[in-house]
């Protein structure tokens, strides 16, 4: 086995949160490297809705203005209950919600990083503590080892870093989604409205990205028995089957979609009660984004919450690194300072994440629980703790970098 490659701050995973963490540190003058398992930047899932709290974080990263130009401001939420015909409309008011192409977000984050910050094709297979130094050792699939002074796990729902910290595996919500884009070359007719068609066990949502492009999603709690999903065409066939009986424009949107944009996901979540009692950091290792708090998409906050994490983490880490050069430091001093910084990061994030993941879980139960009794109790809890289905969660401000 070769000698470990010694590095300073190592970020595991180059998705939204890994790149945002690297950019936040870079803006604070702190160097890091990102280890991404894929050979290119990944942007699976079509669009991503970013609420005011996420935009505040993007502004801190210096890419908010550029990204606002690529997405229109949502003016209204419209829910149509297809079984009862009930229509609910809410103006967005002060809530800033815009749906971005994930690829635009990923590119804007990556473009802000110094050349060579991202190492592609670096799949992490294990993490361990170096018994001699107590720093994390990162094992890659090609047999190489990286010795990191600080390890930030941004490796998503199946996080290797989270496992090392002892976090419990995410649970299945028993809800699946199909997401995709449909481009209307002569412009679509949906204005700036985010519409959800609630069809019982199937929900169809559509939100504009710009005047031509619509992001849509289908979420459903049972897969048709004969469904086979081996390629994008079969995925579109399944989506077509699920929107049978929905208004014609919904099935037309699915039929006209760009097959290469389609993705299928089984929703998973880290249960709020699992999260409450787990270690989010240990020594100089911690987790960010889905690696820490994967949640269902029911209030569209997973990504925005992860962006908040990166600002809070970079602020604390940069303070700890002040006056210490990562290449010529006193290991003990660095370990002590980073441990305090990560503790502060966890203290700042824990309650916020707990509230968001609880609210997400309850909204998911409200939409998808087949039991009316459960739905009633969940509704009471939501009103008692979160003021109903409000968007108060987007008022949170993660502060300055
Ligand atoms: C259906 C659905 C809809 C959603 N809608 C919204 C929404 O509208 N708004 C919102 O804010 N959030 C939404 N989310 C949540 C949002 O997508 C996630 O919270 C966000 O993508 C998390 O980013 P991340 O960087 O933590 O993880 P990921 O995006 O999963 O990135 C992880 C990265 O790590 C890499 N990686 C993984 N394992 C390894 C390894 N072992 N070694 C090296 N690299 C590795 C991966 O290749 C990937 O690039 C939605 C989620 C789903 C499932």
């Amino acid at each position: 086995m070769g000698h470990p490659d010694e590095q300073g701050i190592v970020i595991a995973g180059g998705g939204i949160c890994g790149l945002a963490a690297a950019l936040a540190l870079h803006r604070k003058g702190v160097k890091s490297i990102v280890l991404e398992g894929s050979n290119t930047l990944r942007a699976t899932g079509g669009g991503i809705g970013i609420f005011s709290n996420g935009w505040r974080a993007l502004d801190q990263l210096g890419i908010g203005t550029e990204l606002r130009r690529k997405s229109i401001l949502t003016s209204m939420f419209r829910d149509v209950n297809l079984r009862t015909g009930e229509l609910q409309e809410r103006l967005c008011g002060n809530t800033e919600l815009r749906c971005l192409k994930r690829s635009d977000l990923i590119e804007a984050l990556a473009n802000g990083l110094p050349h060579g910050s991202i190492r592609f094709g670096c799949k992490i297979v294990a993490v361990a503590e170096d018994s001699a130094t107590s720093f994390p050792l990162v094992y890659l699939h090609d047999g190489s080892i990286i010795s990191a002074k600080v390890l930030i796990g941004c490796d998503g729902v199946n996080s290797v870093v989270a496992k090392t910290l002892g976090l419990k595996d995410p649970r299945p919500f028993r809800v699946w989604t199909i997401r995709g884009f449909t481009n209307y070359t002569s412009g679509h007719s949906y204005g700036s409205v985010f519409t959800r068609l609630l069809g019982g066990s199937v929900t169809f949502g559509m939100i504009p990205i710009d005047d031509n492009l619509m992001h849509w999603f289908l979420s459903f709690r049972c897969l048709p028995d004969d469904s086979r999903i081996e390629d994008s065409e079969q995925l579109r066939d399944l989506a077509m089957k699920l929107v049978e009986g929905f208004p014609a424009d919904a099935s037309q949107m699915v039929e006209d979609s760009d097959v290469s944009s389609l993705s299928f996901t089984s929703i998973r979540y880290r249960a709020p009660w699992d999260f409450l009692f787990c270690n989010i950091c240990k020594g100089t290792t911690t987790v960010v984004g889905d690696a820490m708090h994967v949640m269902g998409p029911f209030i569209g906050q997973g990504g925005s919450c992860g962006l908040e994490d990166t600002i809070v983490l970079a602020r604390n880490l940069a303070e700890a690194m002040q006056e210490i050069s990562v290449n010529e430091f006193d290991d003990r001093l660095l370990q002590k300072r980073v441990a305090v910084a990560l503790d502060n990061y966890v203290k700042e994030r824990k309650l916020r994440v707990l509230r968001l993941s609880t609210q997400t879980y309850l909204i998911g139960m409200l939409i998808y629980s087949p039991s009316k009794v459960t739905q009633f109790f969940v509704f009471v809890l939501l009103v008692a703790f979160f003021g109903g289905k409000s968007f108060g969660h987007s008022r949170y401000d993660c502060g300055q970098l």
Side-chain angles (χ1 to χ4, degrees):
M1 201 174 283
H3 202 66
D5 170 14
E6 302 230 346
Q7 291 291 338
I9 299 181
V10 170
I11 296 175
I16 293 170
C17 295
L19 297 175
L23 183 56
L25 287 167
H26 174 59
R27 294 258 185 261
K28 295 294 283 181
V30 179
K31 208 176 144 209
S32 65
I33 58 156
V34 178
L35 305 179
E36 168 54 40
S38 306
N39 292 324
T40 52
L41 292 174
R42 289 175 72 232
T44 315
I48 181 164
I50 301 288
F51 279 91
S52 315
N53 53 314
W55 285 105
R56 280 183 205 110
L58 291 173
D59 284 335
Q60 289 302 315
L61 293 172
I63 54 173
T65 306
E66 161 194 352
L67 287 171
R68 281 187 182 90
R69 282 192 216 110
K70 298 186 171 174
S71 57
I72 57 177
L73 182 64
T74 305
S75 61
M76 185 193 279
F77 300 95
R78 178 179 294 148
D79 278 351
V80 185
N81 188 323
L82 297 179
R83 287 177 303 174
T84 61
E86 189 192 349
L87 173 78
Q88 276 188 5
E89 289 185 335
R90 265 175 302 165
L91 288 174
C92 292
N94 292 333
T95 304
E96 180 178 10
L97 168 63
R98 295 167 190 268
C99 186
L100 282 169
K101 277 170 83 173
R102 282 181 187 251
S103 54
D104 284 344
L105 175 55
I106 289 274
E107 271 163 34
L109 292 165
N111 289 343
L113 293 174
H115 183 71
S117 305
I118 312 170
R119 292 191 188 173
F120 291 104
C122 291
K123 188 168 170 48
I124 298 165
V125 289
V127 173
E129 190 182 278
D130 185 332
S131 53
T133 64
S134 304
F135 283 121
L137 289 173
V138 180
Y139 294 82
L140 302 184
H141 75 299
D142 62 2
S144 57
I145 305 171
I146 293 178
S147 169
K149 299 297 178 198
V150 182
L151 177 62
I152 306 173
C154 302
D155 44 347
V157 60
N158 297 314
S159 171
V160 176
V161 182
K163 277 196 184 79
T164 312
L165 291 175
L167 271 73
K168 285 204 176 144
D169 285 343
R171 300 161 186 252
F173 203 86
R174 306 206 188 291
V175 168
W176 293 267
T177 70
I178 300 175
R179 292 171 283 171
F181 286 139
T182 303
N183 192 42
Y184 295 79
T185 42
S186 322
H188 58 71
S189 57
Y190 298 95
S192 52
V193 180
F194 176 13
T195 307
R196 288 191 310 172
L197 306 174
L198 311 173
S201 59
V202 180
T203 297
F204 182 78
M206 43 191 166
I207 180 166
I209 290 183
D210 57 29
D211 293 336
N212 299 91
L213 193 64
M214 292 294 291
H215 168 68
W216 59 262
F217 60 87
L218 267 165
S219 47
F220 44 100
R221 63 165 184 249
C222 40
L223 274 172
D225 288 342
D226 56 346
S227 45
R228 284 173 35 159
I229 314 165
E230 280 156 16
D231 59 36
S232 305
E233 292 292 348
Q234 283 178 354
L235 195 50
R236 182 162 56 184
D237 291 346
L238 171 60
M240 288 298 294
K241 206 180 281 182
L242 288 161
V243 286
E244 269 170 21
F246 275 59
D249 62 331
S251 42
Q252 195 62 50
M253 191 178 288
V254 173
E255 193 172 352
D256 294 342
S257 58
D258 168 6
V259 278
S260 68
S261 72
L262 300 187
S263 63
F264 176 77
T265 315
S266 163
I267 300 300
R268 285 188 287 162
Y269 68 105
R270 176 152 286 126
W273 52 94
D274 284 344
F275 176 77
L276 190 60
F277 302 108
C278 63
N279 287 328
I280 312 295
C281 67
K282 190 173 167 210
T284 61
T285 300
T286 193
V287 275
V288 163
D290 277 12
M292 183 197 336
H293 49 63
V294 60
M295 52 183 93
F298 315 119
I299 59 171
Q301 274 289 356
S304 291
C305 180
L307 289 169
E308 290 173 7
D309 294 343
T310 66
I311 302 296
V312 177
L313 177 66
R315 182 168 62 223
N316 281 291
L317 256 186
E319 201 184 316
M321 301 298 229
Q322 252 175 18
E323 292 161 26
I324 302 182
S325 155
V326 153
N327 295 318
E328 30 162 316
F329 43 67
D330 167 348
D331 276 358
R332 290 268 162 261
L333 176 65
L334 181 98
Q335 252 160 2
K336 229 165 104 183
R337 280 190 172 216
V338 171
V340 171
L342 298 190
D343 262 352
N344 289 339
Y345 157 68
V346 172
K347 274 187 203 133
E348 268 192 64
R349 295 305 295 154
K350 201 147 191 176
L351 192 59
R352 165 72 174 154
V353 170
L354 191 63
R355 274 186 71 82
L356 275 180
S357 53
T358 306
Q359 190 175 6
T360 301
Y361 175 75
L362 291 176
I363 298 256
M365 292 290 283
L366 186 69
I367 302 174
Y368 292 104
S369 171
S371 153
K372 290 274 172 234
V373 179
T374 308
Q375 284 186 344
F376 173 76
F377 281 113
V378 164
F379 183 72
V380 171
L381 285 174
L382 274 169
V383 172
F385 291 105
F386 301 101
K389 291 193 268 176
S390 80
F391 291 96
H393 50 73
S394 68
R395 284 198 287 271
Y396 183 88
D397 187 346
C398 59
Q400 298 204 334
L401 241 186

